[in-house]
Amino acid sequence: MTSKTNRPRVQTLRCLLSVAVGILCAQSLAFRNVDSAAFDNFANLTAKGLDSIAQFGPAGSIALAVCLGVLFYRFYPNFNHAGKRDQLISAILSFFLALSIVLPRLMKLPNVSFDSYPNYVGGAPQWHKPIFWMVASVQLLTIGFTLAVIVCWLMHKATDFVESRNTDEASTAIPHTNLSIWERGIRFFDGKPKHMTVATLTMVLCWVPMLIIQGPAIIGVDSMVQLVQFRTGHVWDPMTMAELPGYAGQDHHPFFDTYIYGLFDELGLWLGQEILGFRILIALQSIVAAFAIVVSLVWIKKRTNLPDSCICVCWCLAAVLPAFPMYMSIVLKDSTWVSIFLLWMVAFFEVIYRCNNNQAVGWKLVLCLVVLGLFSGLTKKLGIYVTTVSLLLAIIAVRKQFVAFLVSMLVPAALVIGFVPIAVLPALNIAPGGPQETISVPIQQLSKVAILHQDELSKSDRQAIDKVLDIDHLKPYWQADSADYAKHYGYRLNASSSDRKNFILTWIRLFFRYPKDYIAAVPYLINPFVYGDTYYYSGPVRCGWWEAGGSQILTEYPECGLSYTQGKIAIPLTNALNKIPPFSFIGSEALYTVWLPLVALGFTISIRRYRNLRYLIPIAVSWCSLLLLPAHQARYTLSFLFVFALTLAVPFVQVLTNERNISS
């Protein structure tokens, strides 16, 4: 115990430490690698560092340093008095969080505009220079130390929430005459149909202004392919541009989505104005998305100890954050699929909850998982793999309700992966998607190795590669930011399944010879895991494939042209949201793909609710799926944004058995 005479000295030291950490952390956040010359000498480093800090302006830099210093001063006692276990958890967690901030400021980002905060055009990393590692270490230590203090305080609060909620539930029998705003708001998440309807429609009303600003619609390039093929009957492979005569469509993009978008296109034409069909589609998918979010909050209210205020804040965030309506205004498979996946996640959470608490899993819940898993796979091909693998891992982790899990896993997978390509696509005269899509990353990595080390490869390796890829034709077009170029210009259409099998075996074997080249070939794979891109997005009404018939879709709108509200409001608003730090943070992709899942993982371990780690299985599977994608776009991680409330609630899910819940 600190004596009274030493308290002023301790407080003074704490204050000085907070000031130093605040200044260093603010400078670390502000510093950017403007170009490779930044690390040539100390003078350049100082000049570039000051230039970076100047981007905030004097007032901004001081305000950032003061805020960080105050946070550190306020929360440090909790970290200082925490147990070694919690300190270790918060330190490990904060290291990875800090790494997601530091990496974009030291790495080259050539395709990002300078005025899009927090992305900055940078130079090539100077890995070989000690001063580079010094700067990286200072940034990691100061940002990580500050985050560790905050995370440790949050873990302390999480434990208090769980304990106080149990006490509050014991006193709920006492009627309250003066209800707080949170007590009034939480009633809309009690599961009653009328309350859920009000919460859903209110959220949609909050989205309406952004839907109007983004309007009348945003039709992505992929959707334009589907609409052109549905409308004109001109069928071709959009990756290789090879004609597919005799077919009524192609399943490169899910055929189920093609029929949905095509039918709403026809509805608009029948109503006398083509755009009306897409407006109706956007309204419907917005209602379904809002309903799915409300359902997730209802589940959280019933099954977790998360405070009522946090549940209401989650609803408010989903209602006011522009990212949600921005993606609902897009006619694209990701926007159509994400609501179905969120509902599947709720059903998955409910199954895990019942297994954790030794409760029966009824056939209705199994049927719900089957139906939602089926539609998840039909609207987005990757969806069926995420749901199937998640259920398989759940069988291994839970070891209960084997039949329920098995049925929920096998039926959708058998229908989507087996029955659809064997029976449905031939019956509808739809060509299957190109097999190169499933090996995008191996194509990207092995093509780079073949370009750089062709003379070093054995004859058998060159043959295995040449049967799948035309390296000579591909070489001038190869780019590191996407595997689409390698697939488009290099993939041989006559490659057999045996050729692709040998190709994959060669890819696995050569990884151990050229690991650096493999990593350098796919730099975009790190983008979802670092602090940079945001979910704020706007675009033209229609764009792409005019030469193949796209000009017949929405003829009243120019090719790649913006509507009045998109050009005057949506684009400037998107740029502003990306530049302003508070909004750029809450809209950041990494906040939802990295920060929330890692915080949920750390908090769950901290309060020792180990069974709750099972809820994070789909998150882990989704992480792995991101490493198989041909390129990076924020829409590929849209599921992380929509399941944010469920992710946040994982540490607080009730465990009704005798397992020890709270750390001593």
Side-chain angles (χ1 to χ4, degrees), residues 176-223:
H176 296 280
T177 54
N178 296 322
L179 299 178
S180 67
I181 185 174
W182 307 123
E183 291 170 327
R184 294 177 186 274
I186 200 64
R187 292 183 297 179
F188 290 98
F189 308 108
D190 58 8
K192 295 181 179 179
K194 63 178 182 180
H195 289 162
M196 293 178 66
T197 301
V198 171
T200 299
L201 294 181
T202 305
M203 182 176 292
V204 174
L205 288 176
C206 293
W207 289 355
V208 165
M210 185 54 63
L211 295 177
I212 294 174
I213 292 172
Q214 292 274 91
I218 298 175
I219 303 177
V221 175
D222 292 351
S223 301

Short mmCIF file of all heavy atoms in Angstrom, two decimals, residues 176-223:
data_model
loop_
_atom_site.label_atom_id
_atom_site.label_comp_id
_atom_site.label_asym_id
_atom_site.label_seq_id
_atom_site.Cartn_x
_atom_site.Cartn_y
_atom_site.Cartn_z
N HIS A 176 -40.17 -0.67 -11.64
CA HIS A 176 -39.55 0.64 -11.74
C HIS A 176 -40.58 1.63 -12.25
O HIS A 176 -41.29 1.37 -13.21
CB HIS A 176 -38.35 0.61 -12.68
CG HIS A 176 -37.23 -0.26 -12.19
ND1 HIS A 176 -36.33 0.13 -11.25
CD2 HIS A 176 -36.88 -1.54 -12.54
CE1 HIS A 176 -35.47 -0.84 -11.01
NE2 HIS A 176 -35.78 -1.86 -11.79
N THR A 177 -40.66 2.76 -11.62
CA THR A 177 -41.61 3.78 -12.06
C THR A 177 -40.97 4.73 -13.05
O THR A 177 -41.60 5.13 -14.03
CB THR A 177 -42.12 4.58 -10.84
OG1 THR A 177 -40.98 5.09 -10.11
CG2 THR A 177 -42.94 3.67 -9.92
N ASN A 178 -39.70 5.09 -12.84
CA ASN A 178 -38.99 5.98 -13.74
C ASN A 178 -37.95 5.17 -14.53
O ASN A 178 -36.89 4.83 -14.01
CB ASN A 178 -38.29 7.10 -12.96
CG ASN A 178 -39.30 7.99 -12.24
OD1 ASN A 178 -40.37 8.27 -12.78
ND2 ASN A 178 -38.96 8.40 -11.03
N LEU A 179 -38.29 4.85 -15.76
CA LEU A 179 -37.41 4.04 -16.59
C LEU A 179 -36.40 4.92 -17.29
O LEU A 179 -36.72 6.01 -17.76
CB LEU A 179 -38.23 3.27 -17.63
CG LEU A 179 -39.27 2.28 -17.08
CD1 LEU A 179 -40.02 1.63 -18.24
CD2 LEU A 179 -38.61 1.21 -16.23
N SER A 180 -35.15 4.44 -17.35
CA SER A 180 -34.11 5.16 -18.08
C SER A 180 -34.32 4.97 -19.58
O SER A 180 -35.12 4.14 -20.01
CB SER A 180 -32.73 4.65 -17.67
OG SER A 180 -32.54 3.33 -18.11
N ILE A 181 -33.56 5.73 -20.37
CA ILE A 181 -33.69 5.63 -21.82
C ILE A 181 -33.29 4.23 -22.31
O ILE A 181 -33.88 3.70 -23.26
CB ILE A 181 -32.85 6.72 -22.50
CG1 ILE A 181 -33.08 6.69 -24.02
CG2 ILE A 181 -31.36 6.53 -22.18
CD1 ILE A 181 -32.39 7.84 -24.73
N TRP A 182 -32.32 3.59 -21.61
CA TRP A 182 -31.90 2.25 -22.01
C TRP A 182 -32.97 1.24 -21.66
O TRP A 182 -33.20 0.29 -22.42
CB TRP A 182 -30.59 1.88 -21.34
CG TRP A 182 -29.50 2.88 -21.55
CD1 TRP A 182 -28.79 3.54 -20.58
CD2 TRP A 182 -28.97 3.36 -22.80
NE1 TRP A 182 -27.87 4.39 -21.14
CE2 TRP A 182 -27.96 4.31 -22.51
CE3 TRP A 182 -29.26 3.08 -24.13
CZ2 TRP A 182 -27.24 4.96 -23.49
CZ3 TRP A 182 -28.54 3.74 -25.11
CH2 TRP A 182 -27.56 4.66 -24.79
N GLU A 183 -33.61 1.42 -20.51
CA GLU A 183 -34.68 0.49 -20.12
C GLU A 183 -35.89 0.61 -21.04
O GLU A 183 -36.59 -0.38 -21.29
CB GLU A 183 -35.09 0.76 -18.67
CG GLU A 183 -34.01 0.38 -17.65
CD GLU A 183 -34.33 0.85 -16.25
OE1 GLU A 183 -34.95 1.93 -16.09
OE2 GLU A 183 -33.95 0.15 -15.30
N ARG A 184 -36.12 1.80 -21.56
CA ARG A 184 -37.21 1.96 -22.51
C ARG A 184 -36.83 1.35 -23.87
O ARG A 184 -37.64 0.69 -24.52
CB ARG A 184 -37.55 3.44 -22.68
CG ARG A 184 -38.12 4.10 -21.43
CD ARG A 184 -38.35 5.58 -21.67
NE ARG A 184 -38.77 6.27 -20.46
CZ ARG A 184 -40.03 6.35 -20.03
NH1 ARG A 184 -40.99 5.80 -20.75
NH2 ARG A 184 -40.32 6.97 -18.91
N GLY A 185 -35.58 1.58 -24.28
CA GLY A 185 -35.17 1.09 -25.59
C GLY A 185 -35.03 -0.42 -25.65
O GLY A 185 -35.33 -1.03 -26.68
N ILE A 186 -34.60 -1.05 -24.54
CA ILE A 186 -34.34 -2.48 -24.57
C ILE A 186 -35.62 -3.29 -24.74
O ILE A 186 -35.58 -4.47 -25.16
CB ILE A 186 -33.60 -2.91 -23.27
CG1 ILE A 186 -32.88 -4.26 -23.48
CG2 ILE A 186 -34.58 -3.01 -22.10
CD1 ILE A 186 -31.80 -4.21 -24.50
N ARG A 187 -36.78 -2.69 -24.47
CA ARG A 187 -38.03 -3.42 -24.62
C ARG A 187 -38.30 -3.80 -26.07
O ARG A 187 -39.06 -4.72 -26.34
CB ARG A 187 -39.19 -2.57 -24.09
CG ARG A 187 -39.16 -2.37 -22.57
CD ARG A 187 -40.36 -1.60 -22.08
NE ARG A 187 -40.40 -0.25 -22.63
CZ ARG A 187 -41.35 0.64 -22.37
NH1 ARG A 187 -42.35 0.30 -21.56
NH2 ARG A 187 -41.32 1.84 -22.91
N PHE A 188 -37.69 -3.09 -27.01
CA PHE A 188 -37.90 -3.40 -28.42
C PHE A 188 -37.12 -4.65 -28.86
O PHE A 188 -37.26 -5.09 -30.00
CB PHE A 188 -37.49 -2.21 -29.29
CG PHE A 188 -38.41 -1.04 -29.16
CD1 PHE A 188 -38.09 0.02 -28.32
CD2 PHE A 188 -39.61 -1.00 -29.85
CE1 PHE A 188 -38.95 1.11 -28.18
CE2 PHE A 188 -40.47 0.08 -29.71
CZ PHE A 188 -40.15 1.13 -28.88
N PHE A 189 -36.34 -5.22 -27.93
CA PHE A 189 -35.58 -6.41 -28.26
C PHE A 189 -35.98 -7.59 -27.37
O PHE A 189 -35.17 -8.46 -27.07
CB PHE A 189 -34.08 -6.13 -28.14
CG PHE A 189 -33.64 -4.92 -28.91
CD1 PHE A 189 -33.28 -3.75 -28.25
CD2 PHE A 189 -33.63 -4.93 -30.29
CE1 PHE A 189 -32.90 -2.62 -28.97
CE2 PHE A 189 -33.26 -3.81 -31.02
CZ PHE A 189 -32.89 -2.65 -30.35
N ASP A 190 -37.25 -7.57 -26.94
CA ASP A 190 -37.75 -8.66 -26.11
C ASP A 190 -38.29 -9.83 -26.93
O ASP A 190 -38.73 -10.83 -26.37
CB ASP A 190 -38.84 -8.15 -25.15
CG ASP A 190 -40.01 -7.50 -25.89
OD1 ASP A 190 -40.06 -7.57 -27.14
OD2 ASP A 190 -40.87 -6.89 -25.22
N GLY A 191 -38.27 -9.72 -28.24
CA GLY A 191 -38.70 -10.82 -29.09
C GLY A 191 -40.14 -10.75 -29.53
O GLY A 191 -40.59 -11.58 -30.34
N LYS A 192 -40.90 -9.78 -29.03
CA LYS A 192 -42.29 -9.66 -29.45
C LYS A 192 -42.36 -9.14 -30.88
O LYS A 192 -41.64 -8.20 -31.24
CB LYS A 192 -43.05 -8.72 -28.50
CG LYS A 192 -43.17 -9.26 -27.08
CD LYS A 192 -43.95 -8.30 -26.19
CE LYS A 192 -44.07 -8.85 -24.78
NZ LYS A 192 -44.81 -7.92 -23.88
N PRO A 193 -43.24 -9.73 -31.72
CA PRO A 193 -43.29 -9.33 -33.13
C PRO A 193 -43.51 -7.83 -33.34
O PRO A 193 -42.88 -7.24 -34.21
CB PRO A 193 -44.46 -10.16 -33.68
CG PRO A 193 -44.51 -11.37 -32.80
CD PRO A 193 -44.12 -10.87 -31.43
N LYS A 194 -44.39 -7.22 -32.55
CA LYS A 194 -44.67 -5.80 -32.77
C LYS A 194 -43.44 -4.94 -32.44
O LYS A 194 -43.18 -3.94 -33.13
CB LYS A 194 -45.87 -5.37 -31.95
CG LYS A 194 -45.72 -5.46 -30.45
CD LYS A 194 -46.97 -4.94 -29.74
CE LYS A 194 -46.81 -5.00 -28.22
NZ LYS A 194 -48.02 -4.48 -27.52
N HIS A 195 -42.72 -5.31 -31.39
CA HIS A 195 -41.51 -4.55 -31.04
C HIS A 195 -40.41 -4.74 -32.07
O HIS A 195 -39.71 -3.79 -32.43
CB HIS A 195 -41.02 -4.98 -29.65
CG HIS A 195 -41.91 -4.51 -28.54
ND1 HIS A 195 -41.87 -5.07 -27.28
CD2 HIS A 195 -42.86 -3.55 -28.50
CE1 HIS A 195 -42.76 -4.46 -26.51
NE2 HIS A 195 -43.37 -3.54 -27.23
N MET A 196 -40.26 -5.97 -32.57
CA MET A 196 -39.25 -6.23 -33.60
C MET A 196 -39.59 -5.48 -34.89
O MET A 196 -38.70 -4.98 -35.58
CB MET A 196 -39.14 -7.73 -33.88
CG MET A 196 -38.59 -8.53 -32.71
SD MET A 196 -38.54 -10.30 -33.05
CE MET A 196 -37.32 -10.36 -34.36
N THR A 197 -40.88 -5.41 -35.20
CA THR A 197 -41.30 -4.68 -36.40
C THR A 197 -40.97 -3.20 -36.28
O THR A 197 -40.46 -2.58 -37.23
CB THR A 197 -42.81 -4.86 -36.62
OG1 THR A 197 -43.10 -6.26 -36.76
CG2 THR A 197 -43.26 -4.12 -37.88
N VAL A 198 -41.24 -2.63 -35.11
CA VAL A 198 -40.94 -1.21 -34.89
C VAL A 198 -39.43 -0.97 -34.99
O VAL A 198 -38.98 -0.01 -35.64
CB VAL A 198 -41.48 -0.74 -33.53
CG1 VAL A 198 -40.98 0.68 -33.22
CG2 VAL A 198 -43.00 -0.78 -33.53
N ALA A 199 -38.63 -1.83 -34.34
CA ALA A 199 -37.17 -1.67 -34.37
C ALA A 199 -36.63 -1.80 -35.80
O ALA A 199 -35.73 -1.06 -36.20
CB ALA A 199 -36.51 -2.70 -33.46
N THR A 200 -37.21 -2.72 -36.58
CA THR A 200 -36.75 -2.93 -37.96
C THR A 200 -37.11 -1.74 -38.83
O THR A 200 -36.25 -1.20 -39.55
CB THR A 200 -37.38 -4.21 -38.54
OG1 THR A 200 -36.98 -5.33 -37.75
CG2 THR A 200 -36.95 -4.41 -39.99
N LEU A 201 -38.37 -1.31 -38.79
CA LEU A 201 -38.81 -0.22 -39.65
C LEU A 201 -38.14 1.10 -39.27
O LEU A 201 -37.84 1.93 -40.14
CB LEU A 201 -40.33 -0.08 -39.58
CG LEU A 201 -41.12 -1.27 -40.17
CD1 LEU A 201 -42.62 -1.01 -40.06
CD2 LEU A 201 -40.73 -1.52 -41.61
N THR A 202 -37.89 1.29 -37.98
CA THR A 202 -37.20 2.51 -37.55
C THR A 202 -35.78 2.55 -38.08
O THR A 202 -35.29 3.60 -38.51
CB THR A 202 -37.19 2.61 -36.01
OG1 THR A 202 -38.53 2.54 -35.52
CG2 THR A 202 -36.57 3.92 -35.56
N MET A 203 -35.11 1.39 -38.07
CA MET A 203 -33.77 1.33 -38.63
C MET A 203 -33.79 1.64 -40.12
O MET A 203 -32.93 2.38 -40.63
CB MET A 203 -33.14 -0.04 -38.37
CG MET A 203 -31.71 -0.16 -38.88
SD MET A 203 -30.93 -1.75 -38.47
CE MET A 203 -30.79 -1.59 -36.69
N VAL A 204 -34.74 1.07 -40.83
CA VAL A 204 -34.85 1.34 -42.27
C VAL A 204 -35.10 2.82 -42.52
O VAL A 204 -34.52 3.42 -43.44
CB VAL A 204 -35.97 0.48 -42.91
CG1 VAL A 204 -36.17 0.87 -44.37
CG2 VAL A 204 -35.63 -1.00 -42.81
N LEU A 205 -35.95 3.45 -41.70
CA LEU A 205 -36.20 4.90 -41.84
C LEU A 205 -34.92 5.70 -41.63
O LEU A 205 -34.69 6.71 -42.30
CB LEU A 205 -37.29 5.35 -40.86
CG LEU A 205 -38.72 4.91 -41.18
CD1 LEU A 205 -39.66 5.33 -40.06
CD2 LEU A 205 -39.17 5.50 -42.51
N CYS A 206 -34.08 5.24 -40.70
CA CYS A 206 -32.79 5.92 -40.49
C CYS A 206 -31.88 5.75 -41.70
O CYS A 206 -31.01 6.60 -41.96
CB CYS A 206 -32.10 5.37 -39.24
SG CYS A 206 -32.94 5.75 -37.68
N TRP A 207 -32.06 4.67 -42.43
CA TRP A 207 -31.25 4.42 -43.62
C TRP A 207 -31.75 5.17 -44.85
O TRP A 207 -30.98 5.34 -45.81
CB TRP A 207 -31.22 2.92 -43.93
CG TRP A 207 -30.44 2.09 -42.97
CD1 TRP A 207 -29.68 2.54 -41.92
CD2 TRP A 207 -30.34 0.67 -42.95
NE1 TRP A 207 -29.12 1.49 -41.26
CE2 TRP A 207 -29.50 0.33 -41.86
CE3 TRP A 207 -30.87 -0.35 -43.73
CZ2 TRP A 207 -29.18 -1.00 -41.55
CZ3 TRP A 207 -30.56 -1.66 -43.44
CH2 TRP A 207 -29.72 -1.99 -42.35
N VAL A 208 -33.02 5.56 -44.85
CA VAL A 208 -33.63 6.14 -46.05
C VAL A 208 -32.84 7.33 -46.61
O VAL A 208 -32.61 7.40 -47.83
CB VAL A 208 -35.10 6.53 -45.78
CG1 VAL A 208 -35.64 7.46 -46.86
CG2 VAL A 208 -35.95 5.26 -45.70
N PRO A 209 -32.39 8.30 -45.78
CA PRO A 209 -31.62 9.42 -46.37
C PRO A 209 -30.40 8.96 -47.15
O PRO A 209 -30.14 9.46 -48.25
CB PRO A 209 -31.23 10.25 -45.14
CG PRO A 209 -32.28 9.96 -44.13
CD PRO A 209 -32.62 8.51 -44.34
N MET A 210 -29.66 7.99 -46.61
CA MET A 210 -28.49 7.50 -47.33
C MET A 210 -28.89 6.72 -48.57
O MET A 210 -28.21 6.78 -49.61
CB MET A 210 -27.61 6.64 -46.41
CG MET A 210 -26.31 6.18 -47.04
SD MET A 210 -25.30 7.54 -47.70
CE MET A 210 -24.96 8.46 -46.20
N LEU A 211 -29.98 5.97 -48.49
CA LEU A 211 -30.46 5.25 -49.67
C LEU A 211 -30.84 6.21 -50.78
O LEU A 211 -30.61 5.93 -51.97
CB LEU A 211 -31.65 4.36 -49.31
CG LEU A 211 -31.38 3.21 -48.33
CD1 LEU A 211 -32.68 2.47 -48.02
CD2 LEU A 211 -30.35 2.23 -48.90
N ILE A 212 -31.40 7.35 -50.41
CA ILE A 212 -31.75 8.37 -51.40
C ILE A 212 -30.49 9.00 -51.98
O ILE A 212 -30.36 9.19 -53.20
CB ILE A 212 -32.65 9.45 -50.78
CG1 ILE A 212 -34.01 8.83 -50.38
CG2 ILE A 212 -32.86 10.61 -51.74
CD1 ILE A 212 -34.90 9.79 -49.62
N ILE A 213 -29.53 9.32 -51.11
CA ILE A 213 -28.28 9.93 -51.57
C ILE A 213 -27.52 8.98 -52.50
O ILE A 213 -26.96 9.39 -53.52
CB ILE A 213 -27.40 10.30 -50.36
CG1 ILE A 213 -28.04 11.44 -49.57
CG2 ILE A 213 -25.99 10.68 -50.80
CD1 ILE A 213 -27.35 11.74 -48.25
N GLN A 214 -27.53 7.70 -52.20
CA GLN A 214 -26.85 6.70 -53.04
C GLN A 214 -27.66 6.36 -54.28
O GLN A 214 -27.16 5.67 -55.18
CB GLN A 214 -26.61 5.42 -52.23
CG GLN A 214 -25.61 5.56 -51.10
CD GLN A 214 -24.19 5.34 -51.58
OE1 GLN A 214 -23.52 6.28 -51.97
NE2 GLN A 214 -23.74 4.11 -51.55
N GLY A 215 -28.91 6.80 -54.32
CA GLY A 215 -29.85 6.39 -55.34
C GLY A 215 -29.62 6.98 -56.71
O GLY A 215 -28.78 7.86 -56.90
N PRO A 216 -30.38 6.43 -57.67
CA PRO A 216 -31.47 5.47 -57.48
C PRO A 216 -31.01 4.05 -57.21
O PRO A 216 -31.74 3.25 -56.65
CB PRO A 216 -32.23 5.55 -58.81
CG PRO A 216 -31.18 5.91 -59.80
CD PRO A 216 -30.24 6.84 -59.08
N ALA A 217 -29.79 3.70 -57.62
CA ALA A 217 -29.22 2.38 -57.37
C ALA A 217 -27.76 2.39 -57.77
O ALA A 217 -27.31 3.26 -58.52
CB ALA A 217 -29.98 1.30 -58.15
N ILE A 218 -27.01 1.44 -57.23
CA ILE A 218 -25.63 1.21 -57.65
C ILE A 218 -25.54 -0.25 -58.09
O ILE A 218 -25.76 -1.15 -57.27
CB ILE A 218 -24.64 1.50 -56.52
CG1 ILE A 218 -24.71 2.97 -56.10
CG2 ILE A 218 -23.21 1.15 -56.95
CD1 ILE A 218 -23.83 3.31 -54.90
N ILE A 219 -25.27 -0.46 -59.36
CA ILE A 219 -25.21 -1.81 -59.91
C ILE A 219 -23.75 -2.14 -60.19
O ILE A 219 -23.13 -1.51 -61.05
CB ILE A 219 -26.06 -1.94 -61.18
CG1 ILE A 219 -27.51 -1.53 -60.87
CG2 ILE A 219 -26.02 -3.36 -61.72
CD1 ILE A 219 -28.42 -1.56 -62.07
N GLY A 220 -23.21 -3.10 -59.46
CA GLY A 220 -21.80 -3.44 -59.59
C GLY A 220 -21.48 -4.10 -60.91
O GLY A 220 -22.36 -4.55 -61.66
N VAL A 221 -20.20 -4.17 -61.20
CA VAL A 221 -19.73 -4.77 -62.46
C VAL A 221 -20.18 -6.22 -62.57
O VAL A 221 -20.62 -6.67 -63.63
CB VAL A 221 -18.20 -4.66 -62.55
CG1 VAL A 221 -17.68 -5.37 -63.79
CG2 VAL A 221 -17.77 -3.19 -62.57
N ASP A 222 -20.06 -6.97 -61.46
CA ASP A 222 -20.48 -8.37 -61.49
C ASP A 222 -21.97 -8.50 -61.80
O ASP A 222 -22.38 -9.39 -62.57
CB ASP A 222 -20.18 -9.04 -60.15
CG ASP A 222 -18.69 -9.17 -59.89
OD1 ASP A 222 -17.90 -8.91 -60.83
OD2 ASP A 222 -18.31 -9.52 -58.77
N SER A 223 -22.77 -7.63 -61.21
CA SER A 223 -24.21 -7.68 -61.45
C SER A 223 -24.55 -7.30 -62.89
O SER A 223 -25.52 -7.80 -63.46
CB SER A 223 -24.95 -6.76 -60.47
OG SER A 223 -24.69 -7.14 -59.14
#
